[in-house]
Amino acid sequence: MQQLDEFKRRTLRKLEDVRCPVHHKAPRLDFRGRTLREVSIQMKTCCDRLAELANRKIAET
Ligand SMILES: [Zn+2]
C-alpha cells in the first residue's frame, strides 16, 4: 500500500508542471488497482498533444 502511494505521489509530481501548449490545461490522472503490481493509470487530457507530453514525462525517471 505504501509503495503504491509513493508511486502515485511520484507520478503526480512529475506531471505537476506539465501543461498543454495549446489549451494550457493539466492532464488528469486516475489510478486503478490496489497494489503497485496491478496499478494502471487512466489519463484524461484535452488533446493528443498533451497526452504525448504527459506520457513522455511519466516515462522519465
Ligand atoms: Zn490540449
Side-chain angles (χ1 to χ4, degrees), residues 3-54:
Q3 276 182 318
L4 181 60
D5 286 343
E6 178 62 26
F7 170 77
K8 288 182 184 180
R9 261 202 307 275
R10 272 210 320 263
T11 305
L12 289 171
R13 208 177 298 146
K14 283 182 196 172
L15 293 175
E16 254 178 0
D17 53 357
V18 175
R19 294 289 182 280
C20 175
V22 183
H23 308 102
H24 307 288
K25 292 189 177 184
R28 286 195 172 192
L29 291 189
D30 190 13
F31 294 91
R32 305 273 167 87
R34 282 171 300 168
T35 66
L36 192 58
R37 193 176 296 184
E38 65 184 24
V39 72
S40 68
I41 304 173
Q42 306 281 317
M43 190 165 48
K44 289 184 182 174
T45 56
C46 53
C47 63
D48 289 346
R49 183 89 177 86
L50 178 58
E52 194 188 313
L53 281 175

